[in-house]
Amino acid sequence: MSQLRTLIFDVDGTLVDTEEVHRQAFNLAFLDFDLEWQWTPHLYSELLAISGGFERIHCYATHLGKAAKKTHNFNEFVLRVHQRKSAHYARLISSGEVPLRPGVKRLLNEALEQNIKLAIATSTSMVNVKTLLDNRLPRDWTSWFEVVATADTIAKKKPCPDVYHFVLNVLAEKPQHCIAIEDTESGNTASLQAGITTVITLHALTRGSKFPGASLVVDHLGEPGLPMTIFSSHNASVSTPTHVDIELLQSILNLPRPCRHKEALPALG
Ligand code: XBP
């Protein structure tokens, strides 16, 4: 039996349903630079496969979108567009209108009460994390988390597992004692490749995604008065709970992790 000792949260789409705000910020920046690009929700849900706003713009401009003018300072141009996007995002998100997702604050408090360590593993910047959580958690929220690993901490973003390896290394923690809560295929891949049992909370931009290897896929973490919907669970007996709490997470950790791919398991014996 693996004792749950650490809960690792993704940020965008998991703590707060922010990706729609990111999408609006990208489109405002594109208008500022007279670019004809406008990312629809459908296109953006596909672009979420690319972690990192700079990388997302760069990839779109280079491969997927209008042929970008190949200027010698293309990277510098993309950086300026991303910086402008980040300014729009900070302004939009600091209003506090978009709340913490259901069950997030309850689960954070449950973990703290039960001495389970908390960590953050995200592909966005520390500035974005601070702007987001300064407006949604108590002033001392940074003391809640043993580690806040961001795009400023690691070079290679999700689906690369580096951000999760960083958290494990700083905490000197083994993956079997952790659970990650994520929202995208890219995040699911990153946490599973780090050997961490993963729970997925869906949102409008990820409902069509597949999460092979995730132990539980729900629409949100739920509250006693706002039951979650379970979309897939590796543990048939988990079909009754109305919300994700520490007890449920511990029961998930005791299960053998689902295999990521549908290939038949090697014959035993
Ligand atoms: C989400 C991301 C980020 C945001 C955009 O990170 O991939 O790139 O979509 O923010 P996570 P930036 O799900 O790991 O929290 O423009 O700052 O990258």
Side-chain angles (χ1 to χ4, degrees), residues 13 35 59 109 143 163 195 208 225-226:
L35 295 165
C59 181
N109 281 313
S143 67
V163 69
L226 178 67

Side-chain angles (χ1 to χ4, degrees), residues 125-136 141-142:
S125 63
M126 178 60 93
V127 167
N128 283 354
V129 174
K130 274 189 66 49
T131 305
L132 189 69
L133 299 185
D134 283 351
N135 289 286
R136 288 164 180 81
W141 69 265
T142 49

Side-chain angles (χ1 to χ4, degrees), residues 99-130:
L100 290 170
R101 296 201 67 193
V104 165
K105 193 162 184 187
R106 170 186 57 74
L107 189 58
L108 289 172
N109 281 313
E110 282 179 20
L112 292 169
E113 287 153 14
Q114 298 182 43
N115 295 316
I116 289 168
K117 285 178 276 187
L118 292 172
I120 281 176
T122 177
S123 298
T124 195
S125 63
M126 178 60 93
V127 167
N128 283 354
V129 174
K130 274 189 66 49

Side-chain angles (χ1 to χ4, degrees), residues 9-15 18-19 22-23 26 44 47-57 82 85-86 89 120-126 128-129 149 151 157-158 163-164 182-184 186-187 203:
F9 283 86
D10 162 60
V11 173
D12 288 305
T14 301
L15 290 178
T18 52
E19 289 297 356
H22 279 298
R23 184 184 74 86
F26 280 110
Y44 191 66
L47 290 171
L48 278 178
I50 305 155
S51 283
F54 172 89
E55 295 80 353
R56 205 167 289 152
I57 299 169
H82 186 240
K85 173 266 171 183
S86 297
Y89 177 74
I120 281 176
T122 177
S123 298
T124 195
S125 63
M126 178 60 93
N128 283 354
V129 174
K157 295 186 175 78
K158 303 171 185 175
V163 69
Y164 280 102
E182 274 281 358
D183 70 313
T184 62
S186 167
H203 49 78

Side-chain angles (χ1 to χ4, degrees), residues 13-85:
T14 301
L15 290 178
V16 181
D17 196 355
T18 52
E19 289 297 356
E20 174 55 19
V21 183
H22 279 298
R23 184 184 74 86
Q24 292 170 20
F26 280 110
N27 287 337
L28 288 169
F30 298 156
L31 288 174
D32 290 346
F33 283 85
D34 295 325
L35 295 165
E36 289 165 15
W37 311 337
Q38 282 297 295
W39 290 351
T40 62
H42 176 70
L43 173 58
Y44 191 66
S45 67
E46 293 175 350
L47 290 171
L48 278 178
I50 305 155
S51 283
F54 172 89
E55 295 80 353
R56 205 167 289 152
I57 299 169
H58 194 284
C59 181
Y60 178 79
T62 309
H63 301 298
L64 303 175
K66 311 273 181 298
K69 281 193 290 300
K70 270 294 189 202
T71 59
H72 67 282
N73 58 356
F74 177 59
N75 281 352
E76 195 274 336
F77 170 70
V78 172
L79 186 62
R80 284 193 297 120
V81 175
H82 186 240
Q83 286 168 339
R84 179 67 60 82
K85 173 266 171 183

Side-chain angles (χ1 to χ4, degrees), residues 192 197-198 212-216 233-234 255-262:
L192 290 175
T197 295
T198 302
S215 295
L216 181 67
S233 155
H234 181 51
L255 292 167
R257 181 134 11 89
C259 52
R260 272 184 56 67
H261 305 292
K262 293 294 168 227

